[in-house]
Amino acid sequence: MTNEQTDAIADFIRQLPKAELHLHLEGTILPATLVELSVRHDERPISLREAETLYRFTDFTGFIEAFRAVTRLLTTPEDYELAAWRMMQRLAAQGVVHAEVYISVGVIYMWRNHDPAAFEPVFAGLERARQRAASELGLSIYWIFDAVRHFTVSEAERVFLKAAEIRSACPAVIGIGLGGDERRCGSEPFRGLYAQAKKAGLRLTNHAGETTGPEAIWEALSIGSERIGHALSAINDTELIEELKSRNIALELNPTSNIRTSVCPSFAAHPLRRYFDQGLLVTLNSDDPAFFGSDLANEYLLAHTQQAFTRDELRQLAANSFRASFLPETEKSQWLSRIDTLG
Ligand SMILES: [Zn+2]
């Protein structure tokens, strides 16, 4: 492609209203912000070079370590507010109009000595950023409380109960999810908690089939997960593909993330195109954009350059992001007709 063609498609992508459904707040913190946080909290603050080195991991374990180091520097409510506001500014700049953002509530608890009262001030900081983004950027945000699957079931219960409690006063808390290391723990132990969360009106997401086989996705479906994060290994199971299709289960795909954690060799090899052609409800997402050197607009651009998605197909990906969102039906249809009328 010539530079002019790239500019034209990048412009089209920016103008396309998009929702981002798989984005971890902690994974949006750029090295420069990390240095800023370190200056606030560390006796010997890390340098920009050290921060950049931290982000240069080569596998999934290295990624988890980097993620942990970044989260450790998020200490005060003001830190969270700053991180959230920076994330929201970048989302708006890419033409993202709605995002459903994971917060690692399980990790926050662990580092606050399991004091449930410590979470409220942090959440208040996040809410200040959300309200500011709604009024200044026209951006809508929902929160998904994420538990760490390889901690204990009772730790996850604490996270999900907090989600249910806060949701009654703050409907922006839309759902729950399970992140962490799938190789150490599947979904089955959380069956009862998912049923309870559903009863409390929370929507159910789940990371599955990122570092594990299709059986992990079957297990995630069996406990009631409505959306599957990554679902990379579904490509190896035709029966599962049929199941996902007939139930219209939304897949939150994150191609660049999968390449950076070495669970997929290249963007071209990612099953995005094959899932899309088979009629699955696929959405494109950036997961932890600061760690992976990408963002949502760039993922759309790569879908165009690496997997030959046409403008119409990119439009369908954007439409899918609203269909798969937890927005009310009226808002979904408004965005869908905006996408239809975009030249
Ligand atoms: Zn994720």
XYZ file of all heavy atoms in Angstrom, residues 22 24 207 230 287, ligand 1:
49
model
N -12.478 -5.519 25.220
C -11.487 -6.288 25.985
C -10.251 -5.411 26.187
O -9.348 -5.368 25.351
C -11.130 -7.591 25.251
C -10.370 -8.550 26.117
N -10.847 -9.799 26.460
C -9.175 -8.436 26.733
C -9.966 -10.418 27.238
N -8.931 -9.595 27.416
N -7.752 -3.940 29.504
C -7.441 -3.906 30.940
C -6.869 -2.542 31.288
O -5.858 -2.136 30.704
C -6.415 -4.992 31.283
C -6.915 -6.384 31.028
N -7.528 -7.145 31.993
C -6.910 -7.145 29.898
C -7.864 -8.318 31.483
N -7.508 -8.343 30.205
N -11.940 -15.090 30.234
C -10.790 -15.380 29.365
C -10.724 -16.907 29.189
O -10.656 -17.625 30.195
C -9.478 -14.959 30.022
C -9.222 -13.484 30.063
N -10.018 -12.599 30.724
C -8.231 -12.743 29.500
C -9.521 -11.373 30.596
N -8.441 -11.428 29.847
N -10.277 -13.951 23.954
C -9.215 -14.635 23.178
C -9.757 -15.767 22.299
O -9.671 -15.677 21.082
C -8.070 -15.117 24.075
C -7.324 -13.983 24.712
N -6.430 -13.217 24.006
C -7.369 -13.453 25.957
C -5.946 -12.264 24.802
N -6.513 -12.393 25.991
N -6.617 -5.412 24.349
C -6.195 -6.134 25.561
C -5.347 -5.265 26.502
O -5.876 -4.722 27.469
C -5.457 -7.420 25.153
C -5.447 -8.482 26.238
O -6.137 -8.301 27.246
O -4.741 -9.501 26.071
Zn -7.315 -9.900 28.729
